[in-house]
């Protein structure tokens, strides 16, 4: 996203007001609100374009192998827009790896897929989110790292009281341990022929 000179001036004033609160003139407030609306609209438009690009990519993938050249080009555009390659993309690229372009895109997608899986696994094992590399929380704004450090830590919840001795297992009844004896059945009488 690119800003013009006037937009940068408004953005600098808004950031300065956020860091050092001072009252702003009504016209400056309106300019900040217009800039915020413009940024929001640009973000919505970028989202719509990405959605269209990803849908177009799915159509080209369904038309493979006849649409191989268009698919590879669209996939590279989608990757540049932040698209995570899906298993069906990797399967489609394996069929196209006979071409140099297909093999190169396959290698790139495999490495991106591995990074994505590692990131998801790492995020599941971490308890607190870590800022992205190159991004640091602002200390001067409320809610920054300094505010987190000043908050008192909550006391751990008390553990439920446990019985000093565990309950013994129930004692079985004698009839459960020693089943009743069956009386022997007399052999059937045989009739004498005679």
């Amino acid at each position: 996203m690119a800003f013009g000179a006037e937009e940068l001036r408004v953005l600098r004033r808004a950031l300065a007001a956020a860091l050092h609160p001072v009252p702003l003139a009504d016209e400056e407030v309106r300019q900040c609100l217009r800039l915020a609306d413009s940024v929001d609209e640009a973000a919505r438009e970028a989202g719509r374009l990405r959605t269209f690009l990803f849908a177009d990519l799915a159509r080209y993938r369904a038309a493979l192998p006849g649409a191989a050249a268009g698919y590879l080009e669209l996939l590279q555009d989608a990757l540049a827009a932040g698209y995570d390659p899906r298993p069906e993309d990797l399967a489609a690229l394996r069929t196209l790896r006979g071409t140099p372009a297909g093999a190169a895109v396959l290698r790139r997608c495999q490495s991106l897929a591995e990074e994505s899986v590692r990131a998801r696994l790492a995020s599941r094992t971490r308890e607190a989110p870590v800022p992205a590399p190159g991004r640091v929380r602002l200390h001067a704004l409320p809610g920054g790292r300094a505010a987190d450090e000043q908050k008192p830590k909550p006391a751990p919840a008390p553990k439920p009281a446990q019985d000093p001795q565990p309950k013994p297992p129930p004692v079985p009844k004698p009839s459960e341990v020693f089943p009743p004896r069956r009386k022997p059945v007399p052999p059937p009488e045989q009739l004498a022929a005679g």
Side-chain angles (χ1 to χ4, degrees):
M1 184 178 300
F3 291 106
E6 179 64 24
E7 292 169 328
L8 284 175
R9 188 178 58 76
V10 172
L11 185 61
R12 281 185 56 198
R13 270 201 321 261
L15 288 173
L19 290 173
H20 306 288
V22 294
L24 294 174
D26 290 342
E27 181 57 31
E28 290 176 333
V29 171
R30 281 192 289 277
Q31 288 176 346
C32 289
L33 291 175
R34 278 194 298 268
L35 178 62
D37 288 340
S38 297
V39 169
D40 289 343
E41 178 58 33
R44 283 192 297 271
E45 182 63 25
R48 285 192 293 267
L49 285 173
R50 281 188 8 187
T51 302
F52 175 77
L53 176 64
F54 297 163
D56 209 20
L57 181 66
R59 283 191 295 274
Y60 271 79
R61 185 176 49 239
L64 285 175
Y71 174 71
L72 291 174
E73 183 179 329
L74 278 175
L75 182 58
Q76 288 174 342
D77 291 344
L79 293 173
Y83 177 75
D84 274 338
R86 297 182 178 158
E88 54 266 19
D89 292 312
L90 295 173
L93 286 171
R94 285 186 191 104
T95 63
L96 301 174
R97 67 178 162 210
T99 65
V105 175
L106 175 62
R107 282 191 301 275
R108 181 176 177 201
C109 286
Q110 284 174 331
S111 67
L112 288 173
E114 288 174 11
E115 289 174 13
S116 176
V117 168
R118 285 188 183 128
R120 280 187 298 226
L121 289 175
S123 68
R124 287 183 185 165
T125 58
R126 283 189 299 234
E127 292 184 8
V130 176
R135 300 185 114 194
V136 178
R137 283 187 178 178
L138 294 174
H139 295 278
L141 296 178
R145 189 175 292 148
D148 290 345
E149 293 168 357
Q150 294 172 358
K151 287 184 184 176
K153 302 286 183 197
K159 294 183 179 179
Q162 294 180 350
D163 293 334
Q165 295 179 343
K167 293 183 181 179
V171 178
K173 297 178 190 174
S175 63
E176 294 173 342
V177 177
F178 305 107
R181 290 190 177 186
R182 306 236 185 253
K183 293 183 180 180
V185 178
E189 295 183 23
Q190 295 180 351
L191 297 173

